[in-house]
Amino acid sequence: MNTTTKGGTSARNGTPSVRMRIVPQVSATFWVNWLLAAMAGEVAGHALNHIYVHRLGRVIVALMLCFVAMSILQRTTRRFPRMMFWSAAFLLSLLGAVLAEATDISMGVGDSGAILLIAILLIFSFVICYRLTGNLPGPTDSPHVGGFFWATAMLGQTVASACADWIIGPGGPSERLAIGVIALGIAATLGVHSCTRVPRSVLFWFAFVLSGTVAALGGHVVLKLIE
C-alpha cells in the first residue's frame, strides 16, 4: 500500500495525492464547474468586447499575460490549488470570447471563417503535442503536458465561443437545429464513452468543445436578460 509524504506525494511513485492534486478529477462535477466558469468568462468577454471594441489587441495581450502568470502561479504554489485551477479556467474562457470576436473583426471572414481558422490552429496544437509527448493534451498534473492542455483549451474555447456567435448571428443556422445537433453530439459522446474503448483524451476534447459552446450560448442568454 502506498504511503503519502508530508508534501502530499505518494512515497512509492511520487505522484500527487488526491488531496493535493492541482487538477480536479474529470467527473460530472468537473463538467458542471467548467460550464459555469466558461459561461461567466463568456459574459465578461463580451463586456470587454463592447467596452474596448477598438483596443482588442491590447486587451488580448493583457489577458494572455495574466493567464501566463496564473498558470505559472498554479504550478509553483500549493495553496488553494482548486481555486487556482478554476480561476485559470475562467480567465481562459474570457480570453476565448475576446479572441473569437477579435478574429472575426480583424480578419473580416465572419463567424464561420473564424471558426475554420481557429479550428485549424486547434488541430495543429493536437498534432504538436502528440509529436512531442506521445499523447493528446489533457487536464493533468504532469508539467510537460499541462502547458499544452491550457494552450489547447484556450483554442478549444475560442472555437466554442465563435460557434456560439455564429449560431446566434443573423447569418447563422437555426438555433433549434444547432441546439439539437449539440445535444445529439453530447449524447453520442456519452454513448461512445460508455460502450467503446475510444481513447478518453479524444472524447474529452469533443466534450470540451460541445460543452464550451453550450456555456457560450448560456452566456449570450445571460447578456440578453441583463440588457
Side-chain angles (χ1 to χ4, degrees):
M1 180 174 64
N2 291 347
T3 59
T4 304
T5 66
K6 184 178 181 179
T9 57
S10 170
R12 176 174 296 182
N13 52 28
T15 58
S17 68
V18 174
R19 185 177 62 182
M20 295 299 296
R21 287 194 63 189
I22 296 173
V23 180
Q25 182 181 3
V26 179
S27 62
T29 302
F30 174 90
W31 290 113
V32 170
N33 290 339
W34 194 275
L35 281 169
L36 294 175
M39 187 181 301
E42 186 73 16
V43 173
H46 277 274
L48 287 178
N49 289 337
H50 287 296
I51 296 172
Y52 300 103
V53 62
H54 299 299
R55 299 179 180 178
L56 290 182
R58 297 180 183 179
V59 173
I60 290 172
V61 171
L63 289 175
M64 283 189 171
L65 290 175
C66 291
F67 183 73
V68 170
M70 179 73 72
S71 299
I72 294 173
L73 185 62
Q74 180 194 12
R75 289 294 172 183
T76 57
T77 182
R78 294 180 179 178
R79 303 184 66 180
F80 311 112
R82 300 297 175 84
M83 185 182 73
M84 296 293 295
F85 179 88
W86 292 117
S87 297
F90 164 76
L91 189 59
L92 176 148
S93 301
L94 193 162
L95 181 57
V98 175
L99 278 173
E101 182 70 14
T103 303
D104 184 6
I105 294 174
S106 62
M107 300 298 293
V109 293
D111 292 321
S112 58
I115 293 170
L116 179 60
L117 177 61
I118 302 166
I120 292 173
L121 296 177
L122 179 61
I123 292 172
F124 273 117
S125 179
F126 288 137
V127 172
I128 292 172
C129 182
Y130 186 80
R131 292 294 299 271
L132 293 179
T133 68
N135 294 294
L136 291 179
T140 173
D141 289 308
S142 178
H144 72 285
V145 179
F148 283 109
F149 166 72
W150 288 113
T152 307
M154 179 186 67
L155 291 172
Q157 187 58 37
T158 305
V159 170
S161 184
C163 287
D165 292 342
W166 178 53
I167 292 170
I168 67 168
S174 166
E175 291 186 17
R176 292 184 178 180
L177 175 62
I179 292 173
V181 170
I182 293 172
L184 183 61
I186 292 174
T189 302
L190 290 173
V192 172
H193 179 274
S194 302
C195 302
T196 69
R197 296 183 178 180
V198 174
R200 296 299 181 251
S201 57
V202 174
L203 296 177
F204 173 85
W205 288 109
F206 275 109
F208 184 90
V209 174
L210 289 171
S211 62
T213 305
V214 171
L217 289 172
H220 284 286
V221 172
V222 172
L223 288 170
K224 288 183 179 179
L225 292 176
I226 294 175
E227 295 174 357

